[in-house]
Amino acid sequence: MKPLIIRQATLADGTSGDLYLIDGILADAPAATAEIIDAAELLALPGLVDPHAHLREPGNEAAETIATGTLAAARGGYTCVLAMPNTTPATNGPDEALWLLDRAAAVSAQAQVVPIGAITHDRAGKRLAELSALAESAAKVRVFSDDGACVMDAALLRAALETVASFDGVIAEHAQDAGLAGAMACCGADLEACAASHLPVWPRDAEWRIVERDIALAEATGARVHICHVSTLESLDLIRRAKEHGVRVSAEATPHHLLLGSDLLIQSTARNGPDTTYKVNPPLRPTADVMALREAVADGTIDMIGTDHAPHTSVDKGKPFPAASPGMIGLEQALSVVMETLVNPGMIGWPDVARLMSHAPATLAGLDNQGQPLIPGNPANIVLIDPNRRAVVDRERSASKARNNPYHGMNLPDPVVCTIWAGQVTYRR
Ligand code: DOR
Ligand code: ZN
């Protein structure tokens, strides 16, 4: 591995200097010979960590693979992604988790892949997956989720919380009450707007009633619960109050819920019929929720940004709206959107970006080799950022296999210049 010198980069705290990379570690002195990267105009942050990505392998390699998903991650500045277990088979136990790690190594994944374990076997909500075995395995799984589905059986969720508490694991909940939302629900706008557009409504309380239940169970068990992709201000209020009461709850916001509103779906429906690009769970919400979510990131109610990168084939996205697969991709534009919605308007600073997009997700997963400040002795996981560059997003120029990119055609910040994972350049513009 060739030593690197990153010359005169500005760090999150505003200080600047050279970074010396030797054998995958930040060193306090340069190697005798090294490649030099001039970063005089660039910011250097710890490599980003995504707590919520769908890599689709095994089982749906037509939509994404570990190779293509981690390439998209590297392009977005990520050095680590937590892989959701809604694969086929699901990540039910050590066999599946270790397979993922082996596969990531075999395909030379361009970012660290960390398996998230299923909470229930096959995410079917009937019996627990092999939680303790996953934690004790070489994969050291700490985060568990049935993402895509909510654990509707409260007794089963309580059992899961009690189990993961014994090894300080965390349950990451996809808060969607299956009964209240219904199988076809897709519209997150106000009731009248959904009705006028003839779109099946995904009501707000289908989210916050689950958030309320899960907070109560976390409080009762003393276990950690993490709320995925929060979309409503009611959920934010519940999380804010629970934190004030010392409940061990954390929460994530997606880039798409920070930038895009339900008006996109309503307007596309009025023009040409609903655009499946804007179908996602939980759905895009009205402007008041989008703004509340930004405030919640700024005030610390939201702990981290999770992309919910959800690649789908054009066949699955091309179905009639109610049957089309929910989800949008996000790894390549996550930092762009965080800059556009939060950094550039002055709501958060670069140290907050490092916390929200690197340190906090690494801590959630119990990783000590990611999310660390850029000081000697720490792993050389770095993203170099040009804060001034912008570009029009072109979904055809994606490393992802999928084209369900909701930012296509938008002029957004285009910050990522170089990504370095464990001392190796994984992306360079
Ligand atoms: O829209 C979504 N898509 N939400 C989820 O929770 C799952 C994801 C997927 O796997 O496609
Ligand atoms: Zn989800």
Side-chain angles (χ1 to χ4, degrees):
M1 185 184 303
K2 202 195 284 167
L4 285 170
I5 298 174
I6 299 175
R7 196 135 268 157
Q8 286 304 310
T10 303
L11 302 184
D13 65 4
T15 61
S16 60
D18 295 348
L19 297 170
Y20 309 123
L21 287 67
I22 303 174
D23 292 334
I25 305 290
L26 288 163
D28 49 18
T33 57
E35 187 193 333
I36 294 173
I37 298 178
D38 175 19
E41 307 294 321
L42 305 178
L43 274 166
L45 295 190
L48 307 183
V49 179
D50 186 4
H52 190 143
H54 299 276
L55 299 179
R56 303 295 188 221
E57 194 176 351
N60 190 6
E61 291 82 355
E64 196 76 289
T65 61
I66 290 170
T68 57
T70 57
L71 201 57
R75 288 214 203 182
Y78 285 89
T79 55
C80 179
V81 294
L82 275 65
M84 276 294 175
N86 58 339
T87 46
T88 311
T91 313
N92 289 318
D95 288 352
E96 292 88 2
L98 296 172
W99 184 89
L100 269 181
L101 295 178
D102 286 348
R103 183 74 185 155
V107 302
S108 303
Q110 295 298 297
Q112 184 179 353
V113 175
V114 174
I116 295 177
I119 302 171
T120 68
H121 184 81
D122 283 346
R123 304 170 39 259
K126 299 288 182 226
R127 63 184 168 93
L128 292 183
E130 300 165 49
L131 307 180
S132 298
L134 279 159
E136 286 157 17
S137 75
K140 294 198 177 107
V141 175
R142 285 289 173 279
V143 184
F144 298 84
S145 183
D146 276 2
D147 188 56
C150 183
V151 182
M152 288 310 302
D153 181 337
L156 201 56
L157 187 69
R158 182 198 292 264
L161 285 162
E162 282 166 349
T163 305
V164 303
S166 68
F167 49 80
D168 206 30
V170 59
I171 293 292
E173 180 75 283
H174 171 108
Q176 176 176 358
D177 186 298
L180 289 172
M184 305 246 279
C186 41
C187 180
D190 302 325
L191 290 181
E192 305 75 43
C194 297
S197 307
H198 305 290
L199 291 166
V201 61
W202 200 126
R204 317 170 61 78
D205 65 342
E207 176 177 276
W208 67 255
R209 287 187 192 284
I210 295 294
V211 173
E212 187 174 51
R213 180 200 71 172
D214 286 11
I215 285 171
L217 287 171
E219 188 167 25
T221 56
R224 288 161 67 198
V225 71
H226 175 77
I227 309 297
C228 297
H229 43 52
V230 177
S231 75
T232 64
L233 42 87
E234 293 90 340
S235 297
L236 293 169
D237 285 343
L238 287 162
I239 293 162
R240 197 174 278 122
R241 268 187 278 139
K243 285 185 166 191
E244 282 163 14
H245 286 105
V247 181
R248 300 175 79 199
V249 58
S250 58
E252 126 206 327
T254 70
H256 47 273
H257 290 109
L258 286 166
L259 181 66
L260 311 174
S262 50
D263 49 314
L264 287 168
L265 177 55
I266 298 297
Q267 284 160 14
S268 76
T269 306
R271 280 197 308 270
N272 328 300
D275 185 340
T276 61
T277 311
Y278 303 125
K279 179 174 177 179
V280 62
N281 281 334
L284 301 179
R285 297 286 183 190
T287 310
D289 297 286
V290 174
M291 294 304 158
L293 207 52
R294 294 182 192 179
E295 293 290 344
V297 174
D299 75 17
T301 304
I302 292 289
D303 298 86
M304 64 194 77
I305 306 298
T307 66
D308 198 1
H309 177 82
H312 290 292
T313 63
S314 46
V315 171
D316 287 340
K317 270 292 183 190
K319 292 177 181 166
F321 199 86
S325 297
M328 23 183 84
I329 61 173
L331 280 165
E332 285 159 300
Q333 275 83 39
L335 184 57
S336 310
V337 172
V338 167
M339 285 181 65
E340 184 78 351
T341 57
L342 294 159
V343 180
N344 292 351
M347 292 182 75
I348 64 171
W350 291 109
D352 299 311
V353 176
R355 171 176 52 81
L356 291 156
M357 300 187 77
S358 183
H359 183 68
T363 304
L364 181 83
L367 303 173
D368 56 13
N369 67 326
Q370 294 279 353
Q372 302 294 321
L374 301 181
I375 52 175
N378 281 343
N381 299 320
I382 302 169
V383 54
L384 296 178
I385 291 168
D386 177 349
N388 298 314
R389 197 183 145 114
R390 297 182 73 90
V392 174
V393 177
D394 179 356
R395 68 179 160 224
E396 298 306 325
R397 295 182 56 190
S398 176
S400 170
K401 280 196 175 186
R403 293 292 175 262
N404 52 316
N405 186 327
Y407 313 112
H408 178 67
M410 289 187 180
N411 185 304
L412 288 175
D414 186 23
V416 180
V417 173
C418 180
T419 308
I420 298 167
W421 169 38
Q424 299 266 23
V425 174
T426 51
Y427 170 68
R428 192 154 181 192
R429 178 141 74 200

